[in-house]
Amino acid sequence: MVSRHFLGRYLGQEKGPLLVAIGAMHGNEPAGVKGIELILKMLEVEPITHPEFIFRGRFIGILGNPVAYQRRMRFIDVDMNRHWQVSRIRQQIQQPEQPKLVEERAILNVLHLIHEEIRNYQPTEVVLLDLHTTSSTGGIFSIAGDDPTSQNLAVELPAPVILGLADELKGTLLQYVKSIKLDVPVRTISFEAGHHTDPLSVNRCIAALTCCMRAIGCVGQNDVESQHMRVLLDQAEGLPKLTRLVYRHSIRPEDQFVMQPNYSNFKIIRQGEIIAHDSKGAVPSPFDGRILLPLYQKQGDDGFFIVQDIPV
Ligand SMILES: [Zn+2]
């Protein structure tokens, strides 16, 4: 039986890396799934339009959270991208019965798919590209796993790279992969492609996938449609190439946190500026910097983040 998480696979003619793309780890973020489905179609027709086309490696597309995706909710029981805890997952893999929480089952299924693929293919390396979108507008960015090889890959995407965020967010896929030992080198990137409902977020996911395929040597510089790259470049224009996280404002439901309107990713903010309200009153910014991921949806534990530019 084909897994509900399986979106498709492309087998290259030559041996190489395994690129694993994950969409909708948050169910209300459909752009990644659509991007993966479209790039699979584009890869199918590429050898017909360009007979000299060679794909080095293998590509697999995975739907992170099919149950939440169907209901267009960020999650059902727990936030899937804050729930990749090594010890719990290790325990649950040993148990014969399925975990109770929807997202815990989804994590085990996704891991099963990835491990099967690695076992069957024996790639030269594994690259995980986790595709997301945001509830705020303005700006795209990537978060690299906390290792220089992942960061070098993130810099290849024409989008700002946020350093330090991978460490700050607990229980992400990026953190999980860093903590486990695989027999093969692994690089991990999360890519935020724009607003949840912006149709161009799909194009940006395609562009991120194409860029990634080029950077890791699956395809040549001129293979696969380059028109999508334009939307990535347009959106990244004027944004800093490299930034570092300096603050995370975590929230709980009882805080009754509400963002002030009209904040978008990378908007410059000043120390003391009132950027939200909660049950205790006004929430001023503790730093100068740029706001990231201001919360404009009901579900989530992060009110906002602040990053500062790193000169390059
Ligand atoms: Zn997300």
Side-chain angles (χ1 to χ4, degrees):
M1 201 178 81
V2 179
S3 163
R4 289 172 77 190
H5 296 262
F6 182 74
L7 291 171
R9 179 188 287 117
Y10 187 78
L11 307 174
Q13 301 88 333
E14 289 182 9
K15 190 82 182 175
L18 170 67
L19 174 59
V20 180
I22 302 178
M25 182 118 70
H26 294 131
N28 60 334
E29 302 175 12
V33 176
K34 297 209 170 89
I36 292 168
E37 286 171 341
L38 285 168
I39 204 139
L40 281 162
K41 285 191 183 131
M42 288 158 72
L43 287 169
E44 284 304 326
V45 298
E46 191 74 12
I48 302 163
T49 43
H50 301 108
E52 69 287 1
F53 175 68
I54 300 275
F55 191 97
R56 246 187 85 248
R58 186 182 273 203
F59 171 63
I60 174 174
I62 293 178
L63 201 171
N65 193 340
V67 181
Y69 179 70
Q70 220 165 31
R71 298 192 208 163
R72 288 294 190 265
M73 290 168 73
R74 183 174 167 91
F75 57 83
I76 304 295
D77 294 321
V78 287
D79 189 328
M80 184 169 169
N81 206 28
R82 304 287 184 276
H83 211 67
W84 292 81
Q85 283 96 11
V86 179
S87 54
R88 200 206 60 252
I89 292 172
R90 212 169 264 157
Q91 220 175 37
Q92 288 179 334
I93 289 174
Q94 311 289 337
Q95 285 165 0
E97 70 273 15
Q98 287 261 304
K100 284 198 177 60
L101 305 185
V102 166
E103 281 74 19
E104 292 183 352
R105 289 198 295 276
I107 284 173
L108 294 195
N109 292 340
V110 168
L111 274 178
H112 180 72
L113 266 179
I114 296 173
H115 282 298
E116 279 260 301
E117 209 65 28
I118 295 173
R119 210 173 17 250
N120 292 337
Y121 185 53
Q122 303 285 320
T124 51
E125 73 160 329
V126 178
V127 175
L128 278 169
L129 180 57
D130 184 20
L131 298 164
H132 290 261
T133 51
T134 56
S135 67
S136 53
T137 56
I140 50 173
F141 59 90
S142 58
I143 307 164
D146 187 29
D147 61 279
T149 56
S150 295
Q151 285 169 9
N152 291 344
L153 178 58
V155 172
E156 297 277 336
L157 304 185
V161 178
I162 316 292
L163 301 180
L165 190 55
D167 262 356
E168 182 62 31
L169 296 176
K170 304 296 176 215
T172 61
L173 171 66
L174 260 62
Q175 271 204 340
Y176 175 82
V177 172
K178 195 182 102 181
S179 329
I180 56 161
K181 289 269 172 291
L182 284 171
D183 299 333
V184 57
V186 187
R187 291 191 274 177
T188 50
I189 303 182
S190 277
F191 180 70
E192 299 281 353
H195 189 263
H196 297 328
T197 58
D198 181 353
L200 288 180
S201 297
V202 178
N203 300 61
R204 292 183 208 111
C205 285
I206 294 173
L209 284 160
T210 312
C211 261
C212 199
M213 283 174 184
R214 284 179 189 156
I216 64 175
C218 292
V219 301
Q221 283 307 312
N222 299 316
D223 292 331
V224 192
E225 295 270 6
S226 54
Q227 79 215 25
H228 303 283
M229 206 62 74
R230 193 68 257 155
V231 290
L232 212 54
L233 290 165
D234 285 351
Q235 192 77 8
E237 206 178 315
L239 299 181
K241 183 65 202 163
L242 214 52
T243 66
R244 181 175 296 285
L245 181 77
V246 292
Y247 179 72
R248 168 185 179 231
H249 189 84
S250 64
I251 54 168
R252 300 156 305 169
E254 57 268 33
D255 293 337
Q256 298 169 340
F257 175 88
V258 183
M259 277 301 302
Q260 292 278 80
N262 302 324
Y263 279 103
S264 53
N265 286 320
F266 296 103
K267 188 168 191 243
I268 288 174
I269 51 171
R270 295 283 164 224
Q271 188 178 21
E273 183 175 331
I274 306 302
I275 45 186
H277 285 84
D278 63 15
S279 55
K280 293 198 196 84
V283 179
S285 169
F287 295 103
D288 287 343
R290 295 174 185 269
I291 197 161
L292 201 68
L293 297 170
L295 187 75
Y296 289 114
Q297 63 191 0
K298 286 198 179 70
Q299 290 179 306
D301 306 327
D302 308 310
F304 60 90
F305 297 84
I306 301 174
V307 297
Q308 288 174 346
D309 296 10
I310 301 173
V312 282

